[in-house]
Amino acid sequence: MSFLLPKLTSKKEVDQVIKSTAEKVLVLRFGRDEDTVCLQLDDILSKTSSDLSKMAAIYLVDVDQTPVYTHYFDISYIPSTVFFFNGQHMKVDYGSPDHTKFVGSFKTKQDFIDLIEVIYRGAMRGKLIVRSPIDPKNIPKYDLLYQDI
């Protein structure tokens, strides 16, 4: 399914998308195309991308081809999803210690849609951090241990 979403394969491409995406939530899914959890997430992202096209731009980023960003966002688990708005990194309080990214796959398409709407509305009001609307039961739990991806 991931072939439906645009892929970014270099730091330069990621930089360009962050700078040029305006008035929309930029969704960057960091992962690997062959990873099963990434494929589950990509399925949700691709099925919602047209519904969210006025609010969000969704891209897939290969962790192996963008080591600078993989390190910068401390991505030790894949998939990890990072959000931007007008070039600004948007943080989300998921009730976990890490507000910089969503780790794992969303349980449902509606969870992802709700999150994008909350980030979009918050960003339009100038907020840099928003509270996640996702039921805590649907947020994957993981330990903040360093793990090689």
Side-chain angles (χ1 to χ4, degrees), residues 17-30:
V17 164
I18 290 170
K19 285 181 195 143
S20 64
T21 304
E23 301 305 310
K24 284 185 179 186
V25 176
L26 172 61
V27 179
L28 299 178
R29 187 282 279 147
F30 287 85

Side-chain angles (χ1 to χ4, degrees), residues 29-42:
R29 187 282 279 147
F30 287 85
R32 291 191 182 100
D33 289 346
E34 66 277 4
D35 181 82
T36 51
V37 184
C38 289
L39 291 170
Q40 289 171 358
L41 176 57
D42 293 354

Side-chain angles (χ1 to χ4, degrees), residues 14 21 65 124:
V14 175
T21 304
Q65 295 175 326
M124 292 300 275

Side-chain angles (χ1 to χ4, degrees), residues 41-59:
L41 176 57
D42 293 354
D43 188 47
I44 287 174
L45 298 179
S46 62
K47 285 179 176 169
T48 55
S49 64
S50 65
D51 295 338
L52 292 168
S53 62
K54 289 187 176 18
M55 260 191 278
I58 303 169
Y59 292 86

